[in-house]
Short mmCIF file of all heavy atoms in Angstrom, two decimals:
data_model
loop_
_atom_site.label_atom_id
_atom_site.label_comp_id
_atom_site.label_asym_id
_atom_site.label_seq_id
_atom_site.Cartn_x
_atom_site.Cartn_y
_atom_site.Cartn_z
N ARG A 1 91.30 86.34 121.62
CA ARG A 1 91.69 85.71 120.41
C ARG A 1 91.09 86.45 119.18
O ARG A 1 91.71 86.31 118.08
CB ARG A 1 91.31 84.26 120.40
CG ARG A 1 92.17 83.50 121.33
CD ARG A 1 91.73 81.91 121.44
NE ARG A 1 92.63 81.09 122.18
CZ ARG A 1 92.24 80.05 122.72
NH1 ARG A 1 91.03 79.56 122.62
NH2 ARG A 1 93.10 79.32 123.40
N HIS A 2 89.93 86.96 119.31
CA HIS A 2 89.09 87.52 118.16
C HIS A 2 88.97 89.02 118.27
O HIS A 2 88.77 89.58 119.33
CB HIS A 2 87.84 86.77 118.06
CG HIS A 2 87.89 85.31 117.95
ND1 HIS A 2 88.02 84.60 116.92
CD2 HIS A 2 87.89 84.44 118.95
CE1 HIS A 2 88.17 83.41 117.05
NE2 HIS A 2 88.05 83.21 118.32
N GLU A 3 88.80 89.73 117.17
CA GLU A 3 88.76 91.15 117.11
C GLU A 3 87.12 91.61 117.54
O GLU A 3 86.58 92.24 116.65
CB GLU A 3 89.10 91.70 115.81
CG GLU A 3 90.68 91.49 115.40
CD GLU A 3 91.04 91.70 114.05
OE1 GLU A 3 90.07 91.93 113.18
OE2 GLU A 3 92.19 91.65 113.73
N MET A 4 86.81 91.33 118.60
CA MET A 4 85.48 91.49 118.97
C MET A 4 85.34 93.07 119.45
O MET A 4 84.17 93.47 119.66
CB MET A 4 85.05 90.48 120.17
CG MET A 4 84.95 89.03 119.74
SD MET A 4 84.77 87.93 121.07
CE MET A 4 83.10 88.41 121.67
N ASN A 5 86.44 93.64 119.81
CA ASN A 5 86.45 95.03 120.37
C ASN A 5 87.28 95.91 119.60
O ASN A 5 87.99 96.70 120.16
CB ASN A 5 86.78 94.95 121.94
CG ASN A 5 85.76 94.13 122.72
OD1 ASN A 5 84.65 94.58 122.97
ND2 ASN A 5 86.17 93.00 123.24
N GLY A 6 87.30 95.79 118.41
CA GLY A 6 88.12 96.51 117.48
C GLY A 6 88.74 95.70 116.47
O GLY A 6 89.41 94.77 116.67
N SER A 7 88.60 96.10 115.16
CA SER A 7 89.18 95.45 114.06
C SER A 7 90.79 95.74 114.09
O SER A 7 91.19 96.79 114.70
CB SER A 7 88.63 95.85 112.71
OG SER A 7 88.93 97.30 112.47
N LEU A 8 91.52 95.05 113.31
CA LEU A 8 92.97 95.46 113.08
C LEU A 8 93.12 96.89 112.75
O LEU A 8 93.98 97.48 113.25
CB LEU A 8 93.56 94.48 112.10
CG LEU A 8 95.02 94.83 111.75
CD1 LEU A 8 95.97 94.63 113.03
CD2 LEU A 8 95.60 93.73 110.63
N ASP A 9 92.41 97.36 111.71
CA ASP A 9 92.45 98.80 111.37
C ASP A 9 92.20 99.61 112.54
O ASP A 9 92.76 100.71 112.63
CB ASP A 9 91.40 98.85 110.25
CG ASP A 9 91.69 100.43 109.61
OD1 ASP A 9 92.58 100.59 108.90
OD2 ASP A 9 90.78 101.15 109.89
N GLU A 10 91.22 99.38 113.32
CA GLU A 10 90.90 100.23 114.39
C GLU A 10 91.94 100.28 115.41
O GLU A 10 92.28 101.24 116.06
CB GLU A 10 89.44 99.86 115.04
CG GLU A 10 88.19 100.13 114.16
CD GLU A 10 87.01 99.53 114.71
OE1 GLU A 10 87.05 98.42 115.18
OE2 GLU A 10 86.03 100.31 114.64
N ILE A 11 92.57 99.13 115.69
CA ILE A 11 93.67 98.95 116.68
C ILE A 11 94.78 99.88 116.21
O ILE A 11 95.41 100.56 116.91
CB ILE A 11 94.05 97.55 116.91
CG1 ILE A 11 92.86 96.89 117.70
CG2 ILE A 11 95.35 97.43 117.71
CD1 ILE A 11 92.94 95.38 117.73
N VAL A 12 95.20 99.76 114.96
CA VAL A 12 96.30 100.39 114.35
C VAL A 12 96.05 101.90 114.48
O VAL A 12 96.90 102.81 114.76
CB VAL A 12 96.63 100.07 112.97
CG1 VAL A 12 97.67 100.85 112.38
CG2 VAL A 12 97.14 98.64 112.98
N ALA A 13 94.82 102.41 114.12
CA ALA A 13 94.30 103.75 114.16
C ALA A 13 94.49 104.35 115.61
O ALA A 13 95.02 105.40 115.75
CB ALA A 13 92.87 103.92 113.74
N ALA A 14 94.08 103.49 116.56
CA ALA A 14 94.31 103.98 118.04
C ALA A 14 95.81 104.14 118.33
O ALA A 14 96.21 105.19 118.92
CB ALA A 14 93.71 102.92 118.99
N CYS A 15 96.58 103.23 118.00
CA CYS A 15 98.12 103.40 118.05
C CYS A 15 98.57 104.65 117.56
O CYS A 15 99.29 105.51 118.25
CB CYS A 15 98.81 102.21 117.51
SG CYS A 15 98.56 100.52 118.27
N SER A 16 98.09 104.99 116.40
CA SER A 16 98.61 106.22 115.59
C SER A 16 98.10 107.52 116.37
O SER A 16 98.94 108.49 116.46
CB SER A 16 98.08 106.36 114.17
OG SER A 16 98.34 107.47 113.49
N ARG A 17 96.87 107.46 116.89
CA ARG A 17 96.43 108.57 117.62
C ARG A 17 97.20 108.81 118.89
O ARG A 17 97.36 110.01 119.24
CB ARG A 17 94.87 108.48 117.98
CG ARG A 17 93.89 108.42 116.72
CD ARG A 17 92.47 108.39 117.19
NE ARG A 17 91.60 108.16 116.14
CZ ARG A 17 91.11 107.01 115.86
NH1 ARG A 17 91.27 105.98 116.63
NH2 ARG A 17 90.29 106.87 114.83
N LEU A 18 97.58 107.78 119.42
CA LEU A 18 98.18 107.94 120.79
C LEU A 18 99.81 108.14 120.80
O LEU A 18 100.19 108.53 121.92
CB LEU A 18 97.80 106.71 121.66
CG LEU A 18 96.29 106.64 121.97
CD1 LEU A 18 95.93 105.14 122.26
CD2 LEU A 18 96.04 107.41 123.16
N VAL A 19 100.31 107.85 119.78
CA VAL A 19 101.89 108.04 119.89
C VAL A 19 102.24 109.36 119.16
O VAL A 19 101.47 109.88 118.24
CB VAL A 19 102.45 106.80 118.95
CG1 VAL A 19 102.29 106.98 117.46
CG2 VAL A 19 104.02 106.77 119.40
N ARG A 20 103.28 109.93 119.68
CA ARG A 20 103.69 111.21 119.16
C ARG A 20 104.34 111.17 117.85
O ARG A 20 104.81 109.94 117.44
CB ARG A 20 104.71 111.91 120.18
CG ARG A 20 105.91 111.17 120.37
CD ARG A 20 106.96 111.89 121.11
NE ARG A 20 108.11 111.18 121.38
CZ ARG A 20 109.25 111.02 120.65
NH1 ARG A 20 109.14 111.49 119.35
NH2 ARG A 20 110.19 110.27 120.89
N ALA A 21 104.45 112.28 117.07
CA ALA A 21 105.27 112.17 115.82
C ALA A 21 106.62 111.63 116.24
O ALA A 21 107.41 112.19 117.06
CB ALA A 21 105.20 113.59 115.19
N GLY A 22 107.22 110.85 115.37
CA GLY A 22 108.47 110.24 115.59
C GLY A 22 108.64 109.14 116.58
O GLY A 22 109.62 108.48 116.70
N GLY A 23 107.44 108.85 117.37
CA GLY A 23 107.36 107.83 118.22
C GLY A 23 107.19 106.48 117.51
O GLY A 23 107.03 106.49 116.41
N ARG A 24 107.45 105.39 118.43
CA ARG A 24 107.38 104.07 117.83
C ARG A 24 106.11 103.24 118.28
O ARG A 24 105.72 103.38 119.42
CB ARG A 24 108.59 103.29 118.31
CG ARG A 24 109.98 104.06 117.91
CD ARG A 24 110.25 103.70 116.44
NE ARG A 24 111.32 104.57 115.91
CZ ARG A 24 112.19 104.39 114.99
NH1 ARG A 24 111.96 103.15 114.40
NH2 ARG A 24 113.15 105.04 114.56
N VAL A 25 105.64 102.42 117.38
CA VAL A 25 104.61 101.54 117.55
C VAL A 25 105.10 100.17 117.31
O VAL A 25 105.47 99.87 116.22
CB VAL A 25 103.39 101.84 116.88
CG1 VAL A 25 102.27 100.76 116.93
CG2 VAL A 25 102.72 103.08 117.25
N SER A 26 105.04 99.24 118.32
CA SER A 26 105.57 97.94 118.14
C SER A 26 104.40 96.89 118.27
O SER A 26 103.69 96.96 119.25
CB SER A 26 106.61 97.57 119.09
OG SER A 26 107.71 98.54 118.98
N MET A 27 104.34 95.85 117.46
CA MET A 27 103.23 94.91 117.41
C MET A 27 103.76 93.43 117.22
O MET A 27 104.77 93.32 116.41
CB MET A 27 102.25 95.35 116.23
CG MET A 27 101.16 94.35 116.12
SD MET A 27 99.96 94.74 114.58
CE MET A 27 99.19 96.20 115.23
N VAL A 28 103.13 92.58 117.78
CA VAL A 28 103.26 91.09 117.42
C VAL A 28 102.12 90.58 116.90
O VAL A 28 100.93 90.95 117.27
CB VAL A 28 103.71 90.42 118.65
CG1 VAL A 28 102.86 90.27 119.83
CG2 VAL A 28 104.17 88.84 118.25
N HIS A 29 102.14 89.78 115.74
CA HIS A 29 100.88 89.32 115.10
C HIS A 29 101.39 88.05 114.25
O HIS A 29 102.47 87.48 114.46
CB HIS A 29 100.27 90.45 114.16
CG HIS A 29 98.96 90.33 114.15
ND1 HIS A 29 98.16 89.41 113.59
CD2 HIS A 29 98.05 91.40 114.43
CE1 HIS A 29 96.87 89.68 113.65
NE2 HIS A 29 96.81 90.80 114.16
N ARG A 30 100.46 87.59 113.47
CA ARG A 30 100.64 86.43 112.72
C ARG A 30 101.10 86.85 111.30
O ARG A 30 100.63 87.70 110.67
CB ARG A 30 99.26 85.52 112.53
CG ARG A 30 98.97 84.89 113.71
CD ARG A 30 97.76 84.00 113.54
NE ARG A 30 97.48 83.10 114.74
CZ ARG A 30 96.33 82.33 114.77
NH1 ARG A 30 95.44 82.26 113.76
NH2 ARG A 30 96.17 81.51 115.80
N PRO A 31 101.97 86.16 110.75
CA PRO A 31 102.49 86.47 109.31
C PRO A 31 101.51 86.54 108.40
O PRO A 31 101.47 87.16 107.33
CB PRO A 31 103.57 85.35 109.07
CG PRO A 31 104.06 85.00 110.45
CD PRO A 31 102.77 85.05 111.40
#
């Protein structure tokens, strides 16, 4: 439930590093 192993920014950064150019990142979160 809590960002104990990575902040929102760090999680988004990881997604960006791991996806190719033009690839998609999909997330579910709270509004």
Side-chain angles (χ1 to χ4, degrees):
R1 290 171 172 160
H2 305 275
E3 295 168 354
M4 298 171 62
N5 297 289
S7 66
L8 177 59
D9 185 76
E10 290 174 316
I11 291 169
V12 173
C15 293
S16 181
R17 293 187 189 102
L18 290 159
V19 73
R20 65 171 174 81
R24 301 279 167 155
V25 172
S26 300
M27 176 186 291
V28 61
H29 216 293
R30 287 186 175 176

